[in-house]
Amino acid sequence: MAEAESQRSRIKGVFSSERIAKVGAGATVRKTTQTMYWFAEEDEEERIWIQPLNPNYVPSGPKQEIPKDEFLESYAPEPEFYSTKVYPSIRKLNQTIAKAERHRANGETYSAEMEYGNALRVDEENIRANFGLGLTYLERGETGKADNIFQRLIKIEAAFEAEHKHLFNDFGISLRKNEMYDQAIEYYAKALELSPNDENLHYNMARACFAKADITRTVEHLRRALTLNKDLEIAQKFLLYLKKNNLLPQKLSSAESSTPE
């Protein structure tokens, strides 16, 4: 029985839920049934996550966890709705983003911008499309437009999840290289709230703090990175550079005297 349970397929697909709403007031009040459609997925820990579908039939917005008992009781599978509406919409959206990413990889930034825009008209909170458009603007040095994307992304927690790590890292580094240091620091601070034990995030935060001449925070994040990974060579070299150039704060210099040469 346990083996059969472990081998069962995880829940994944489109489901509907119904809500009774009152319309009108007084003697004219009446009840109506509202149907909502959700994309639901079960993770490895058997938790159920649901995400609403937007008017373009793609999952959009924040995911929320729902108890499995409540889900099984109140949500109905909609396999035909998924196959005729949702799957084609998701597929087309992913194709549009893939086309945009190919244009960006080839240096065709204006074509990339157009395709990312097409994707965002379908799903304005799509993480890949937002990161991609932000990177496109940064590659063109259009920091004002990139800042608009930054302000959007910093409010979306899903942007900092592991599945977006590659784009996430590229975006943070590009912010710093475009001298958007305040944004880079805010960006890495948000990321560290969600992943406080990522040594690379601490190293990148140190780089951003150094660009702002905040040596104390630079050293703090370098030391944290090396606590998490004592063999992180780039952090070792950065700390050594600070020592050799007498840039360490006085109260920290003695504490760093044992840094590997």
Side-chain angles (χ1 to χ4, degrees):
M1 183 69 177
E3 184 178 352
E5 175 68 17
S6 66
Q7 292 178 351
R8 72 168 178 80
S9 298
R10 294 196 191 108
I11 292 169
K12 183 177 181 179
V14 172
F15 292 76
S16 63
S17 65
E18 293 187 347
R19 186 180 68 172
I20 306 298
K22 292 183 178 180
V23 179
T28 63
V29 69
R30 58 190 176 86
K31 293 182 179 180
T32 63
T33 301
Q34 296 178 337
T35 301
M36 286 195 65
Y37 292 93
W38 309 81
F39 186 81
E41 191 166 12
E42 182 179 7
D43 65 18
E44 294 178 354
E45 298 176 9
E46 299 188 11
R47 297 176 300 181
I48 307 293
W49 297 89
I50 59 174
Q51 188 177 22
L53 300 183
N54 72 11
N56 295 309
Y57 305 114
V58 297
S60 182
K63 297 177 182 179
Q64 62 188 78
E65 185 181 1
I66 184 169
K68 183 178 285 189
D69 290 346
E70 179 184 341
F71 176 80
L72 295 174
E73 180 180 342
S74 304
Y75 290 73
E78 300 284 352
E80 185 176 352
F81 190 83
Y82 175 76
S83 62
T84 61
K85 296 286 189 182
V86 178
Y87 175 75
S89 297
I90 293 174
R91 186 169 182 268
K92 186 176 180 181
L93 175 61
N94 287 335
Q95 288 173 337
T96 301
I97 296 172
K99 188 186 295 186
E101 290 171 342
R102 286 195 297 272
H103 282 307
R104 190 171 70 82
N106 292 330
E108 300 158 356
T109 58
Y110 289 97
S111 295
E113 179 184 5
M114 181 183 71
E115 295 296 347
Y116 284 128
N118 289 337
L120 290 170
R121 277 189 284 277
V122 175
D123 177 14
E124 65 180 7
E125 292 193 11
N126 186 277
I127 305 302
R128 280 173 63 195
N130 274 292
F131 270 131
L133 185 57
L135 286 164
T136 300
Y137 289 144
L138 289 170
E139 286 162 11
R140 293 210 303 252
E142 297 184 13
T143 55
K145 290 182 177 179
D147 185 62
N148 290 336
I149 301 297
F150 163 78
Q151 297 298 339
R152 184 185 303 169
L153 283 168
I154 201 74
K155 298 172 184 174
I156 304 175
E157 284 201 5
F160 300 91
E161 292 177 353
E163 64 181 294
H164 306 298
K165 193 77 177 274
H166 175 67
L167 286 168
F168 163 82
N169 285 336
D170 286 351
F171 191 70
I173 291 168
S174 293
L175 285 173
R176 180 172 53 78
K177 288 184 175 179
N178 279 269
E179 300 182 1
M180 298 173 69
Y181 303 128
D182 290 332
Q183 290 93 331
I185 287 171
E186 185 179 353
Y187 184 77
Y188 287 126
K190 172 75 170 181
L192 284 168
E193 286 178 16
L194 302 171
S195 302
N197 296 321
D198 186 323
E199 67 268 27
N200 293 302
L201 284 178
H202 283 285
Y203 171 77
N204 284 323
M205 174 66 102
R207 292 288 303 269
C209 290
F210 183 71
K212 291 284 290 181
D214 188 341
I215 303 300
T216 299
R217 287 183 71 195
T218 299
V219 174
E220 286 174 359
H221 285 285
L222 287 174
R223 294 181 70 183
R224 180 60 179 156
L226 289 168
T227 298
L228 293 165
N229 180 2
K230 63 183 178 61
D231 298 320
L232 189 62
E233 188 176 353
I234 49 175
Q236 292 175 352
K237 288 182 176 179
F238 195 172
L239 205 53
L240 188 60
Y241 166 84
L242 295 176
K243 285 176 60 180
K244 286 185 174 178
N245 288 275
N246 296 316
L247 292 173
L248 288 179
Q250 189 65 35
K251 63 181 180 180
L252 292 173
S253 58
S254 60
E256 301 301 332
S257 60
S258 60
T259 303
E261 292 295 325

